[in-house]
């Protein structure tokens, strides 16, 4: 039986879809997929329809067109999120990975297996050579089928299981090797993440954050287009009301700290959050690395409850204590989670928090059925409705 501890009264917020928007992230994800498919550095395919040839200087209309095609008017985003995937890096990885599987199947039908791999650096697939092979071996070349990912291939897979399900679809002799790349944090996953970060951060910030040159220079950075979901005044007033009522405020997000903090500082709300209750991708990556050094390979991003447990307990409990079969859970009513996705809900339910779903995320009101499940305390239009809702529950002693 899971241990419980009193702890403090705390509200932990997901960021994207709750306080910050995801439009720039989704744009970056679509551009990463587009680059991997059509850049001469990678597959170098011939774009069709409204898709432009690869370049780094894109107009807003061109970015919108790329996202519309790659994500099929955002149906792919809804599909992936509906399967419990919370990270937009994973969204890009799965979207590209599915197209890669389709290409490998087309080559396998021609008997061309195991020709696009190198073994000296851990099962790395040579995308540039694979694209050349496709142009030579397939009549008329090969074109992506972006709507194919919306089929029933995923079954009941959720979260990290989706990558494993994708690996199982790699044909014939390539399957064993493909299983080495079709997992999170594989060399291919890291390449997708790096290209995503180049588009999101832009050339200068990428160089500043990672202390290395981007693979392709000239990207402006979508980060400069970031906007909060609601007027900053309303977000600030809501958070201050909760603080006045005695709640501690925390964050559990897949964003790295060096992206999160400047954004919240620019909004003037960074100081409203308790530092020990802020968990970012950096904390998850650090914990995963520590566990891997001990022979344990575990994906700790949402829908795993680790980010919310870490945000609640802070430095009081270590990673191993938070991932054990029966982790220490908050006392009922002391921890509230605010999120917008099934991954948030699954993680909150697993860690023993009370979940408030908000409809300000990607699905809007259409997402209500995904959030109205067992373990949900309430589904509200947006975070500004939270103070009134929580006024009807037993909470902390208000500040005087």
């Amino acid at each position: 039986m899971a241990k419980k501890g009193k702890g403090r009264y705390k509200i932990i917020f997901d960021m994207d879809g709750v306080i910050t928007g995801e439009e720039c992230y989704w744009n970056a994800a679509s551009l990463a997929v587009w680059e991997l498919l059509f850049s001469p550095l990678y597959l170098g395919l011939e774009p069709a329809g409204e898709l432009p040839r690869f370049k780094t200087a894109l107009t807003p209309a061109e970015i919108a067109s790329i996202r519309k095609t790659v994500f099929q008017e955002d149906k792919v985003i809804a599909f992936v999120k509906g399967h419990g995937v919370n990270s937009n890096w994973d969204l890009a990885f799965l979207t590209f990975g599915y197209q890669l599987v389709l290409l490998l199947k087309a080559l396998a039908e021609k008997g061309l297996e195991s020709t696009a791999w190198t073994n000296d650096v851990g099962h790395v697939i040579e995308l540039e050579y694979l694209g050349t092979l496709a142009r030579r071996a397939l009549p008329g070349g090969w074109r992506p089928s972006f709507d194919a990912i919306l089929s029933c291939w995923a079954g009941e897979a959720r979260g990290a299981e989706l990558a494993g399900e994708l690996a199982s679809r790699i044909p014939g002799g390539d399957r064993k090797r493909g299983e080495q790349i079709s997992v999170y944090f594989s060399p291919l996953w890291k390449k997708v993440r790096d290209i995503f970060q180049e588009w999101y951060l832009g050339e200068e910030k990428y160089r500043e954050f990672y202390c290395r040159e981007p693979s392709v220079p000239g990207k402006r950075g979508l980060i400069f287009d970031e906007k909060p979901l609601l007027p900053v005044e309303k977000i600030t007033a809501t958070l201050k009301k909760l603080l006045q009522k005695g709640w501690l405020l925390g964050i559990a997000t897949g964003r790295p700290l060096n992206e999160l903090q400047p954004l919240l500082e620019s909004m003037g709300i960074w100081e409203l959050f308790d530092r020990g209750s802020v968990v970012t991708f950096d904390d998850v990556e650090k914990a995963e690395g520590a566990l891997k050094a001990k022979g344990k390979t575990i994906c700790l991003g949402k829908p795993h409850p680790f980010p919310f447990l870490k945000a609640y307990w802070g430095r009081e409990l270590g990673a191993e204590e938070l991932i054990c079969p029966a982790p220490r859970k908050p006392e009922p009513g002391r921890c509230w989670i605010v999120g917008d996705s099934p991954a948030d809900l699954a993680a909150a339910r697993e860690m023993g928090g009370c979940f408030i779903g908000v409809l300000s995320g990607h699905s809007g009101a259409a997402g209500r059925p995904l959030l109205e499940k067992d373990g949900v305390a309430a589904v509200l239009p947006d975070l500004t409705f939270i103070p009134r809702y929580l006024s009807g529950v037993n909470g902390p002693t208000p500040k005087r």
Side-chain angles (χ1 to χ4, degrees):
M1 186 174 180
K3 297 179 181 179
K4 293 184 178 180
K6 283 192 174 181
R8 296 183 178 183
Y9 287 94
K10 190 175 292 187
I11 302 172
I12 302 168
F13 292 87
D14 177 36
M15 282 288 105
D16 297 320
V18 177
I19 291 177
T20 52
E22 288 188 88
E23 293 295 320
C24 293
Y25 272 167
W26 293 329
N27 287 342
S30 68
L31 292 176
V33 175
W34 171 72
E35 179 172 345
L36 284 159
L37 289 169
F38 302 110
S39 167
L41 285 178
Y42 306 110
L43 289 181
L45 302 174
E46 187 70 21
E50 298 180 357
L51 287 173
R53 291 181 179 277
F54 178 74
K55 57 184 179 178
T56 56
L58 293 165
T59 66
E62 287 174 321
I63 294 173
S65 176
I66 291 168
R67 174 172 153 186
K68 179 181 178 181
T69 301
V70 170
F71 289 148
Q72 295 291 285
E73 297 182 330
D74 290 353
K75 292 176 185 175
V76 175
I77 297 174
F79 173 85
V80 172
K81 283 187 169 287
H83 280 271
V85 174
N86 193 63
S87 164
N88 289 304
W89 292 335
D90 296 342
L91 166 65
F93 173 70
L94 291 166
T95 304
F96 174 70
Y98 197 89
Q99 298 307 312
L100 187 60
V101 168
L102 293 180
L103 176 54
L104 289 171
K105 283 185 175 181
L107 291 171
E109 290 173 1
K110 296 287 185 179
L112 299 169
E113 297 180 2
S114 305
T115 56
W117 304 83
T118 57
N119 293 306
D120 55 330
V121 284
H123 300 300
V124 175
I125 191 165
E126 293 287 354
L127 295 177
E128 184 179 0
Y129 175 72
L130 185 62
T132 301
L133 188 64
R135 288 190 294 275
R136 292 174 179 173
L138 302 176
W142 180 85
R143 291 183 177 178
S145 177
F146 292 110
D147 63 343
I149 195 173
L150 301 174
S151 63
C152 299
W153 66 277
E156 296 300 315
R158 293 290 182 273
E161 299 170 350
L162 220 56
E165 191 66 31
L166 183 64
S168 72
R169 301 178 69 83
I170 293 176
D174 287 335
R175 181 172 298 167
K176 187 174 182 180
R177 285 170 168 170
E179 288 173 351
Q180 301 298 313
I181 65 163
S182 296
V183 294
Y184 299 146
F185 302 102
S186 65
L188 180 61
W189 184 93
K190 290 177 180 177
K191 171 57 68 176
V192 175
R193 179 193 60 185
D194 286 348
I195 296 173
F196 178 111
Q197 290 300 97
E198 288 179 13
W199 283 110
Y200 178 70
L201 294 172
E203 180 179 354
E204 291 185 11
K205 281 191 172 294
Y206 183 90
R207 189 182 295 115
E208 175 189 340
F209 285 2
Y210 294 105
C211 299
R212 62 175 183 262
E213 293 298 316
S215 58
V216 178
K219 295 170 182 173
R220 182 182 70 88
L222 297 169
I223 192 172
F224 301 107
D225 301 326
E226 282 268 30
K227 295 179 181 177
L229 277 177
L230 302 167
V232 173
E233 298 78 14
K234 290 187 176 182
I235 295 173
T236 304
T238 297
L239 298 178
K240 286 184 175 180
K241 283 180 184 178
L242 295 171
L243 287 171
Q244 191 62 37
K245 293 292 184 181
W247 294 96
L248 274 178
L249 305 182
I251 294 170
T253 178
R255 288 180 181 243
L257 181 63
N258 60 14
E259 294 176 16
L260 175 70
Q261 184 172 344
L263 178 60
L264 297 190
E265 285 178 339
S266 71
M267 295 167 62
I269 61 174
W270 174 247
E271 297 298 325
L272 302 180
F273 293 95
D274 175 60
R275 293 296 180 281
S277 306
V278 174
V279 174
T280 67
F281 171 77
D282 308 271
D283 300 292
V284 172
E285 186 177 45
K286 181 180 178 181
E288 289 174 339
L291 292 171
K292 188 174 182 179
K294 296 180 180 180
K296 299 178 181 179
T297 302
I298 304 174
C299 182
L300 297 180
K302 294 181 250 179
H304 196 285
F306 173 81
F308 289 140
L309 283 167
K310 178 68 175 173
Y312 186 76
W313 292 112
R315 298 182 181 87
E316 187 174 340
L317 300 178
E320 292 200 57
E321 294 173 283
L322 296 175
I323 66 161
C324 67
R328 186 178 175 188
K329 295 185 177 182
E331 194 170 275
R334 288 183 177 265
C335 179
W336 290 77
I337 306 296
V338 182
D340 72 307
S341 72
D344 295 324
L345 169 57
R349 187 162 46 195
E350 185 71 17
M351 66 87 69
C354 303
F355 184 75
I356 296 176
V358 290
L359 301 177
S360 48
H362 170 259
S363 301
R368 183 179 290 274
L370 291 173
L371 297 177
E372 287 184 333
K373 296 180 178 180
D374 292 341
V376 175
V379 177
L380 304 175
D382 58 57
L383 65 83
T384 63
F385 289 77
I386 294 174
R388 179 179 294 181
Y389 173 78
L390 290 181
S391 66
V393 305
N394 291 326
T397 303
K399 293 182 179 179
R400 295 184 179 275

